Amino acid sequence: MEKQQNVTPILEVAWSKFAQLDAASVKRSQSFMKLRQWIAVFGVLATLFAIFTAIYPENFPEIFGLVLRVLLILAPITASVLAAYTNKFYSSGDWLIARAGAEETLKDIYVYRTILQNDPSRRIWLEERTGEIQRSVYRGMNGELVMEPYKGPLPPPPRFDPKYPNCDPGFSDLTGEEYFNYRLQNELNWHIKKINQLQKQRVRLQVLILGSGAAGAFIAALGAVDNSISIWVALTASLTTTFLGWEQLKNLDVVVRNYSKVILELNIISDHWKNLEGEERTQTEFYKMVEATEDILWSRNVEYIKAMQEALKESNLEKEASLINRVIAEQREADQRLKQSMEDSLIEHTNKILDASTTKLGETFEQSLGTLAEEASSDVVQAELAAMKAAVQRMAEKFGLVSSLNEISEEYEDIEINADTPRGVLNDILARYPKTEEVKG
């Protein structure tokens, strides 16, 4: 218990980075496999709906036939959409990069707690190694380090769960026996359990592949007697192709061989340690066990990542996504053509409106000018203007303004009153303008 309480900051950092990378790898890997499963399912359904549509009886309700045709169209489109999405966001295999970073960090944690436990510079070493691993992961993910922060306990469950026997507390320096139990024996047990699970998957897939192939051959033989049955060969062929593709994606043969080698080597290291007497379990033997174990586990990790990357290359989704990619490309071209057509139509229509508006405004302006000129020259308007002039003359004579106005008019007859007239001249004219007793307003 005392050892577990000795929590050093650098180990907290290292365990946090391991937990983050481990969680990201598991989450992305599971999402990828689920997407591939759905792509396979919709691919088989497309074949099944095509068969149902082809053999649909004429005397059955038309509505069900319509539903079948709709499903026949939707199934391959859905599979293609999922394939395009998977190819866009999962083709790089970024979860494999995260897995490599996690396993390398874990290896360095155990080296820190064993071989370097008496080295005063180990804290600086682990800090530098953690930084190097993060940069390597960043480069491997093409500069896109999109991962959720880890907020759980350290070391992270379920891989390090206290309820399991021989669970590593995570922070204390380890003796040879502790390393043997916490690391070597746990990894050996995990690989033995995992390889048995993989073997069951491999056998099950082989049975499905052979079964679907045999069913296709049997149906083909029956088709010689009843031609209407032979159409179901398409379904068995689709199932066989799907199972073969899944086996290729999982790459079970290579993984089983890789794990078998790890089990073999770990067993040899384990047997050697068990064979040592108490006094023979020296620091030298301890460090040799650590170095050999970590090398084997790291080699397994490298081989696994290499095998899965090869499987991803061989299982390229470009062909499966070709339908939706072609539809998207054609839709973009159609959108561009529509946009250009709309712009051309808008400009043409606007020009027509502007031309029509300009012509109409010109005609209206000319018409208004003609109307004004005609009205101004009419007898009625001329009579009204004469009457207004006479009224102004009588008002001026009434208030004795005529002489004053005449003097001002004669004095400033050479000056044109407009916006450019000097302010001083205007003020002088206003000052000499005669005042009246009339109340304004």
Side-chain angles (χ1 to χ4, degrees), residues 93-129:
D94 55 1
W95 62 93
L96 297 174
I97 306 297
R99 170 54 49 209
E103 294 299 329
E104 192 169 9
T105 303
L106 188 61
K107 175 174 75 73
D108 290 344
I109 288 174
Y110 278 106
V111 171
Y112 173 93
R113 298 168 63 202
T114 54
I115 297 175
L116 299 179
Q117 59 184 260
N118 297 318
D119 190 331
S121 64
R122 64 173 180 163
R123 186 166 52 87
I124 297 174
W125 174 85
L126 184 56
E127 180 183 350
E128 291 176 350
R129 286 291 300 141

Side-chain angles (χ1 to χ4, degrees), residues 268-324:
I268 292 173
I269 299 170
S270 174
D271 292 342
H272 176 71
W273 181 263
K274 289 177 181 178
N275 187 46
L276 294 174
E277 299 291 343
E279 65 277 5
E280 294 177 324
R281 293 181 178 180
T282 62
Q283 287 291 95
T284 301
E285 289 291 344
F286 171 32
Y287 292 166
K288 282 173 62 178
M289 175 179 62
V290 172
E291 188 175 5
T293 301
E294 296 302 330
D295 285 345
I296 290 297
L297 293 175
W298 179 243
S299 297
R300 176 228 50 189
N301 184 58
V302 172
E303 288 296 324
Y304 173 79
I305 292 172
K306 182 181 177 182
M308 295 309 296
Q309 286 176 332
E310 289 297 323
L312 285 176
K313 287 180 182 178
E314 295 173 5
S315 177
N316 201 314
L317 289 167
E318 284 291 344
K319 290 179 66 177
E320 296 178 22
S322 60
L323 170 63
I324 191 64

Side-chain angles (χ1 to χ4, degrees), residues 379-395:
D379 295 338
V380 176
V381 173
Q382 290 298 326
E384 290 179 354
L385 289 173
M388 290 172 64
K389 183 178 180 180
V392 170
Q393 185 71 21
R394 287 195 300 274
M395 186 176 294

Side-chain angles (χ1 to χ4, degrees), residues 3-261:
K3 287 185 176 181
Q4 187 174 359
Q5 292 175 350
N6 185 22
V7 178
T8 57
I10 188 58
L11 273 179
E12 272 195 308
V13 170
W15 277 119
S16 295
K17 297 305 177 186
F18 164 77
Q20 184 185 35
L21 292 168
D22 181 64
S25 174
V26 171
K27 182 178 179 181
R28 292 282 291 174
S29 176
Q30 290 176 348
S31 298
F32 173 74
M33 289 300 176
K34 285 181 181 178
L35 284 168
R36 290 304 303 263
Q37 287 174 349
W38 280 113
I39 291 169
V41 168
F42 280 108
V44 173
L45 286 176
T47 305
L48 185 62
F49 292 143
I51 294 173
F52 284 157
T53 303
I55 65 174
Y56 190 76
E58 295 181 358
N59 58 341
F60 274 37
E62 179 62 25
I63 183 64
F64 295 124
L66 177 62
V67 171
L68 274 177
R69 288 192 292 273
V70 170
L71 292 175
L72 174 59
I73 295 171
L74 289 179
I77 290 177
T78 304
S80 188
V81 168
L82 291 175
Y85 177 85
T86 305
N87 193 57
K88 175 70 176 176
F89 295 104
Y90 289 85
S91 60
S92 64
D94 55 1
W95 62 93
L96 297 174
I97 306 297
R99 170 54 49 209
E103 294 299 329
E104 192 169 9
T105 303
L106 188 61
K107 175 174 75 73
D108 290 344
I109 288 174
Y110 278 106
V111 171
Y112 173 93
R113 298 168 63 202
T114 54
I115 297 175
L116 299 179
Q117 59 184 260
N118 297 318
D119 190 331
S121 64
R122 64 173 180 163
R123 186 166 52 87
I124 297 174
W125 174 85
L126 184 56
E127 180 183 350
E128 291 176 350
R129 286 291 300 141
T130 305
E132 290 172 5
I133 293 169
Q134 291 180 77
R135 291 189 184 96
S136 179
V137 171
Y138 173 79
R139 289 192 298 269
M141 292 184 174
N142 298 320
E144 296 184 0
L145 204 61
V146 183
M147 284 184 287
E148 297 177 359
Y150 179 78
K151 299 179 180 179
L154 297 174
R159 192 165 179 175
F160 297 92
D161 197 327
K163 70 181 181 182
Y164 294 131
N166 292 330
C167 177
D168 186 359
F171 291 96
S172 58
D173 289 340
L174 301 176
T175 64
E177 198 62 31
E178 288 172 335
Y179 178 85
F180 177 83
N181 291 323
Y182 294 161
R183 179 68 162 160
L184 194 156
Q185 198 62 46
N186 270 346
E187 288 291 339
L188 182 57
N189 293 338
W190 184 88
H191 280 86
I192 292 173
K193 179 181 178 181
K194 191 67 176 178
I195 200 172
N196 281 283
Q197 293 175 349
L198 294 175
Q199 178 63 14
K200 290 179 181 178
Q201 291 182 26
R202 186 166 63 161
V203 171
R204 187 163 53 246
L205 270 174
Q206 287 294 329
V207 169
L208 290 172
I209 291 169
L210 294 173
S212 58
F218 180 73
I219 292 172
L222 290 179
V225 179
D226 186 355
N227 192 47
S228 62
I229 300 176
S230 59
I231 193 173
W232 289 96
V233 173
L235 179 62
T236 59
S238 177
L239 287 169
T240 303
T241 303
T242 299
F243 295 143
L244 285 170
W246 191 253
E247 183 186 45
Q248 182 186 48
L249 178 64
K250 298 287 286 187
N251 213 358
L252 293 175
D253 291 339
V254 175
V255 175
V256 167
R257 285 196 295 270
N258 185 16
Y259 284 10
S260 297
K261 182 181 177 181

